[in-house]
Amino acid sequence: MVETLVNLLVQGVLIGGLYALFALGLSLSLGVMRFVNIAHGDMIVLFSFVILSLTGVLGWSPFLVAIVLIPVAFGIGWLLQRYLLQRTVGKGILPILLVTFGLSIIIQNGLLEAYGPNTRKLSGGAIELAAFRVGPIDIGLYPLLVFLLAVALIAGLDAFLYRTAVGARIRAVSDDPAAADLIGLTASRIYPIAMGVVAITMLVAACCMSVWTNFDPAIGPSRLLAAFEAVVLGGLGSLWGTLIGGIIIGVAQNFGSQLDASWQILAQHLVFLVALVFRPQGLFARN
Amino acid sequence: MTSKPLLLGVRAILALAVLACLAGPWLFDANSLTVLTEFFIVVTLALMWNLLAGYADIISVGQQGFVGVGAYAFFGFTALAHLSVWAAVPLAALTTLAVAVPVMAVIFRLRTAYLAVGTWVAADVLMLIAGKLPGFGGGSGTSVPIPVIKQFGARLGDRIDVFYAMALGLALIAFVATWMLLRSRVGLGLTAMRDNEEAAGSAGVDLVRTRILCFLWTAPFLGLAGVMTALEKLRVAPSASFNITDWTIDVIFIVVIGGIGSLEGPILGAILFFVLRQQLADFGAWYLILLGLISIGVILFEPRGFWGACRRWGAPDILPVGHEAEAHVLKR
């Protein structure tokens, strides 16, 4: 009994790494640019399908494809912010929500037309099946590596935001766009860089997801909701909080999934709503 | 000021359209009546979404949650509790309101963009719970029993007329009630919030209370629209009754394209939507892609939508929600 519970907990924590990867980009766009990208989950799914197509054409491993795509992802994020989302800045929250909402519907239905409704999965090779035992618990090598990647990415992003010159500029614009503008830091030049970084985290999440689990054109929204809950649970503006939020979501899902598939999602939502009632500012809110 | 004759002409056409709708069962065939029934449901949903997003600054992506609650409540009161359908309809509206109160209490801890996703989470929870309720057919749903349906009329033709009248009545009540709300003291605050929220707040509009009122205001109307969807489809199911595409995504496109923050916009948008859908029925997912592209274009270039463009070209305020002061010009 105790063994089963510990096992569920450990596997849930590892899945939490994947959810943290989903949530990282959303945490950045919320913390820095202060908007919710409704198309966040759909963009991750879009990257998964791009990786799927390229692995098919080139015959490479999905991990190699993802590494090669990093500059492309940055470019997509940059262009998206520079030429679409930036047009809505300063007009309140409604326009940007509705633009990303429209984008979400376009991506979902575009993928549906291009790839059909079937579920897909990518093969990561031998690493997917590798596992080792710690006492009574089997730990998959791949989930562990994804978790460590999430930790490394958060550490990297934290260092990028708080220790580099570009990071300082991004934070300056985020804290006070008007004052930053006076010293030559315009939002229209800085935010696209931030969105490029967000898109790279989406690519990493897409790659890890498409090897770990099934995906189809319609799952974007459920990824968005999980990512959103992880961000709010963790506390706004805290990347490490987002990791903890992801872990809580992963554990809740894993315990819920013992009952059935809908309890998996219901448990996730209920943990989020209960946390919202008792700690609306999140666990590790940074002012 | 726009010309009085134009305004009178447009209002005369509007009055004729309403009269034609009232005489619908004598004017239209069964097929048209069914399409119009659906149209009135969508108009109701669009009016409610517009009240929240266009005035109260609550962008809901979870409207389908209350539509589904209304449908399930109606099924519960008729098929399971064996009440008369005419008792079940108002009870379904009350149930939706009762569900909306705790939902509001929890998700109103979130604001602006967070609240938008919060409404979505809440709707997802309501849908998943509906799939777990005993007696409602679980995840695949169940049909509304024939004896319940027969209470609306023994013959199919009669029922089509009754459902049409119910949907028309719902849309009219939703419209008139919302119009009166917008013309009331609360509505004055709402219009101020639409134009500038900070200024409205500092001028003494209680933003929180107004938001709560609007959110709860929409719930019974959404629930009644849900009852109509159950009658139209003759079944309840989590995926159909809580359908995000039909009850929220389409509705967002309708209001955005028609013109957010006006009473004319949602109605115009619904008409455009039904015409467009009829034309693009064979193109599958492409019509949603097209709607997405149009709505992004509208937000970027004409934020007040089709009706906003009409107003700029000189269309009169057909359905004024403001109070115009009489201008007394002194002749010298």
Side-chain angles (χ1 to χ4, degrees), chain A residues 30 36 84 94 97-99 101 105-106 109-110 113 221 224-225 228-229 236 260 262-263 266 269 276-277 280, chain B residues 59 106 109-110 113-114 116-117 120-121 124-125 128 132 249 252 256 260 285-286 288-289 292-293 296 299-300:
Chain A
L30 267 167
V36 174
L84 186 65
L94 184 81
L97 259 182
L98 293 179
V99 166
F101 172 79
I105 302 301
I106 292 169
N109 289 283
E113 284 291 331
L224 167 72
L225 293 190
F228 172 80
E229 288 168 343
L236 304 172
D260 64 40
S262 62
W263 264 111
L266 206 49
H269 288 332
L276 195 59
V277 169
Chain B
I59 299 143
V106 175
R109 289 169 176 269
L110 301 165
Y114 302 94
V117 189
W120 198 345
V121 172
D124 222 24
V125 169
L128 290 166
K132 298 248 160 258
I249 293 174
I252 294 178
V256 167
I260 199 166
W286 285 108
L288 278 170
I289 296 176
L293 288 171
I296 289 179
I299 295 155
L300 294 182

Side-chain angles (χ1 to χ4, degrees), chain A residues 102-117 217-218, chain B residues 245 249-250 253 273 276-277 280-293:
Chain A
L103 206 59
S104 150
I105 302 301
I106 292 169
I107 293 174
Q108 268 176 51
N109 289 283
L111 288 174
L112 189 63
E113 284 291 331
Y115 293 93
Chain B
T245 308
I249 293 174
D250 285 351
F253 286 145
F273 176 80
L276 200 65
R277 204 180 58 168
L280 297 175
D282 303 332
F283 291 89
W286 285 108
Y287 104 95
L288 278 170
I289 296 176
L290 183 68
L291 284 177
L293 288 171

Side-chain angles (χ1 to χ4, degrees), chain B residues 69-112:
Chain B
V69 168
Y72 267 68
F74 176 76
F75 183 90
F77 287 124
T78 54
L80 302 179
H82 304 293
L83 293 179
S84 136
V85 291
W86 304 113
V89 171
L91 281 174
L94 283 177
T95 307
T96 316
L97 181 61
V99 170
V101 172
V103 167
M104 185 269 301
V106 175
I107 64 171
F108 267 44
R109 289 169 176 269
L110 301 165
R111 262 308 297 148
T112 65

Side-chain angles (χ1 to χ4, degrees), chain B residues 1-13 314-318 320 323-328:
Chain B
M1 282 300 281
T2 39
S3 61
K4 274 264 149 91
L6 178 64
L7 181 60
L8 287 176
V10 175
R11 282 197 182 149
I13 293 171
D317 212 352
I318 307 174
H323 301 266
E324 220 170 285
E326 282 291 322
H328 296 285

Side-chain angles (χ1 to χ4, degrees), chain B residues 255-285:
Chain B
V255 178
V256 167
I257 294 172
I260 199 166
S262 68
L263 267 178
E264 294 89 345
I267 298 167
L268 261 178
I271 296 171
L272 285 174
F273 176 80
F274 269 73
V275 172
L276 200 65
R277 204 180 58 168
Q278 227 67 357
Q279 300 299 316
L280 297 175
D282 303 332
F283 291 89

